[in-house]
Amino acid sequence: MSRSGKIYPHSLTAPAGARCRSRRAASSLAKRGLRKGEVFAICCPNVPEYAIAFHAVSKVGGVVTPMNPLYTPDEIAFQLHDTGAKYVLTVPPFIEKVAAAVSHSRVEEIFVLGEAVGATPFAALMQDDDTPPAVPIDVRKDLVVLPYSSGTAGRPKGVMLTHYNMVAVLRQLEPALRVRPGDRGLGVLPFFHLFGLNVLLNGTLYRGVPCITMPRFDLVQFLELVQRYRITHLAIVPPIVVALAKAPVVADYDLSSLRYIGSGAAPLDGAVQQAFSERLQKPVVQGYGMTETSLLIATTPEDELEHAKVGASGKLIPNMTAKVLDTTNGAELDANAVGEICVRGPNIMQGYLNDPEATRSTIDTSGWLHTGDLGYVDDEGYFFVVDRVKELIKYKGFQVAPAELEGILLTHPAIADAAVIPKPDAEAGEI
């Protein structure tokens, strides 16, 4: 980042150097008073320093709460207050609103990547050559990250994830994705989201794969980076899939280096998936997960790309179990029957921060996490996610999934994107 605050793409290509800087930052934070269990907020776009800060905090037993840098001051203040954050890291373009939010919190110091009035340069933390203190960590109980999610319903809530949760999902993902020399990822999904944090930041560092960071999504810059750096793996979301399937500018770029393209965070309509694959002559497959599962529930293995089922969200990842329940009586359903998806595994959150009632309504006494997602599993073990339980439109007693209608609308060449919502109707109930 330049002094002016303009952000450029960078590459996470030196994990050894990153470890050294992260160790120094960890030592500095410990001397400044960051103690085990205390919260450090990161309100930054995707930049390489994100990895250094995240792992410095975790090294001394701290907890990172990542937040959307586009939040309003009130939204930032809510998360800082709810987590009791002690420190916050940001960038010069967002310093004013972060400072405004801090005035309503217990934050003791603001750090900034670069320079800004009223903030400590993050670079100052990396001048310490001491070894950080050895902090005993119970990986199964001690938290490492507090992302925020609306959960299955309601206001945003802090999702309590342990060191064990985060490492478990990285290991669970390993069998699905093979790493080869020369592989490269593109950090386009925000690191404040678990998809970006655990796949594009932690996942690439863990496997030693370079990751080119993108502070914000811009289609042309995205295409230029794929072409220039010969990106092999893409983790994207449905709106980007739609853009790649429909935008004329895509034809101007060489995307032949791509080998694995995975979409997640929301259902991807089968027709859009098919249109993408036909245009780029490469399959795009879906994954399925949520913040409460440390990212992942199901994904399509790389060795099944050529035979991946259109509309499927993949197969259950290792060491997880799942069941589908009838939404009216809670009975367990057979294959191909639509109901609420419930899962158990080593990547399931510890619960919601300061909200035991929401925790109890999401994780039952047997440890099953009720996702709030409607879907089914076919005879071959592929998951198909239909919609959210709370978003169903009830038309004359029939359940209509908005995502299904959105998918139909998106097949029209003149429609760039679509959203379907219910409207009260005297005769039908909802239309």
Side-chain angles (χ1 to χ4, degrees):
M1 172 175 293
S2 71
R3 295 290 176 86
S4 67
K6 183 177 180 181
I7 300 168
Y8 299 92
H10 295 276
S11 176
L12 300 178
T13 55
R19 279 196 297 271
C20 179
R21 291 189 289 273
S22 188
R23 176 183 59 77
R24 291 178 176 179
S27 178
S28 293
L29 286 172
K31 289 179 179 179
R32 269 179 156 79
L34 182 65
R35 299 292 179 255
K36 180 180 175 180
E38 293 183 328
V39 176
F40 186 105
I42 302 180
C43 186
C44 295
N46 288 10
V47 289
E49 291 87 350
Y50 210 113
I52 296 168
F54 181 91
H55 289 283
V57 173
S58 65
K59 180 73 175 175
V60 292
V63 183
V64 170
T65 188
M67 57 176 62
N68 187 343
L70 299 182
Y71 273 172
T72 66
D74 285 346
E75 290 170 322
I76 294 171
F78 166 78
Q79 192 166 330
L80 292 175
H81 175 77
D82 202 47
T83 60
K86 190 172 186 178
Y87 302 103
V88 61
L89 170 66
T90 190
V91 294
F94 305 126
I95 190 68
E96 288 187 9
K97 66 178 179 180
V98 169
V102 162
S103 65
H104 301 287
S105 75
R106 288 180 282 175
V107 169
E108 297 179 5
E109 190 171 9
I110 301 174
F111 297 100
V112 66
L113 296 175
E115 297 178 357
V117 176
T120 303
F122 184 72
L125 296 179
M126 288 176 277
Q127 307 305 313
D128 195 322
D129 281 330
D130 288 350
T131 300
V135 178
I137 293 174
D138 185 334
V139 296
R140 291 178 181 267
K141 293 182 179 179
D142 292 336
L143 304 184
V144 68
V145 63
L146 268 172
Y148 269 63
S149 166
S150 60
T152 55
R155 66 170 180 81
K157 296 175 280 291
V159 176
M160 298 189 292
L161 300 176
T162 65
H163 293 258
Y164 183 77
N165 291 147
M166 294 289 281
V167 172
V169 82
L170 290 178
R171 298 300 306 274
Q172 289 170 291
L173 184 58
E174 275 189 78
L177 292 177
R178 298 188 302 271
V179 172
R180 303 173 187 171
D183 282 354
R184 292 182 176 89
L186 183 59
V188 59
L189 301 183
F191 292 159
F192 67 79
H193 190 283
L194 255 290
F195 196 177
L197 182 65
N198 235 9
V199 169
L200 299 175
L201 188 149
N202 287 331
T204 54
L205 285 175
Y206 170 57
R207 294 186 171 210
V209 175
C211 179
I212 312 303
T213 58
M214 281 193 73
R216 65 181 182 86
F217 178 73
D218 174 85
L219 180 59
V220 171
Q221 185 188 49
F222 172 89
L223 295 168
E224 288 174 348
L225 292 175
V226 171
Q227 177 177 274
R228 185 192 317 165
Y229 290 101
R230 305 298 294 165
I231 301 298
T232 58
H233 287 66
L234 281 182
I236 52 180
V237 289
I240 299 179
V241 178
V242 172
L244 293 174
K246 296 196 171 195
V249 70
V250 175
D252 297 336
Y253 292 88
D254 177 9
L255 309 182
S256 61
S257 62
L258 293 173
R259 192 173 82 243
Y260 187 93
I261 306 160
S263 175
L268 176 63
D269 180 73
V272 174
Q273 186 178 3
Q274 191 72 32
F276 175 98
S277 298
E278 289 175 358
R279 185 181 193 189
L280 273 69
Q281 293 299 297
K282 295 177 183 294
V284 56
V285 295
Q286 293 194 68
Y288 166 52
M290 54 196 303
T291 305
E292 289 80 355
T293 63
S294 309
L295 166 69
L296 204 59
I297 292 171
T299 191
T300 303
E302 192 168 337
D303 58 9
E304 296 185 22
L305 287 183
E306 298 302 324
H307 309 289
K309 295 187 177 184
V310 173
S313 296
K315 294 182 175 180
L316 198 67
I317 59 176
N319 295 324
M320 286 200 81
T321 53
K323 61 182 179 181
V324 179
L325 301 182
D326 190 306
T327 56
T328 57
N329 58 25
E332 191 168 341
L333 299 172
D334 294 329
N336 300 303
V338 174
E340 183 181 16
I341 298 170
C342 301
V343 294
R344 285 194 304 199
N347 51 334
I348 301 299
M349 69 170 181
Q350 304 307 293
Y352 292 117
L353 180 70
N354 305 324
D355 201 335
E357 183 178 344
T359 300
R360 284 191 296 269
S361 68
T362 303
I363 303 176
D364 65 28
T365 55
S366 298
W368 288 100
L369 185 144
H370 294 247
T371 66
D373 290 319
L374 283 175
Y376 65 94
V377 183
D378 72 7
D379 294 320
E380 297 178 58
Y382 277 92
F383 278 74
F384 291 79
V385 180
V386 176
D387 217 318
R388 298 284 296 165
V389 172
K390 299 293 184 182
E391 291 178 356
L392 284 176
I393 299 170
K394 297 294 183 70
Y395 174 78
K396 295 185 177 179
F398 293 99
Q399 297 181 340
V400 179
E404 185 176 1
L405 297 181
E406 289 162 0
I408 294 170
L409 290 171
L410 285 172
T411 62
H412 195 289
I415 296 178
D417 209 344
V420 174
I421 60 172
K423 177 183 177 182
D425 183 81
E427 180 183 353
E430 290 180 325
I431 55 174

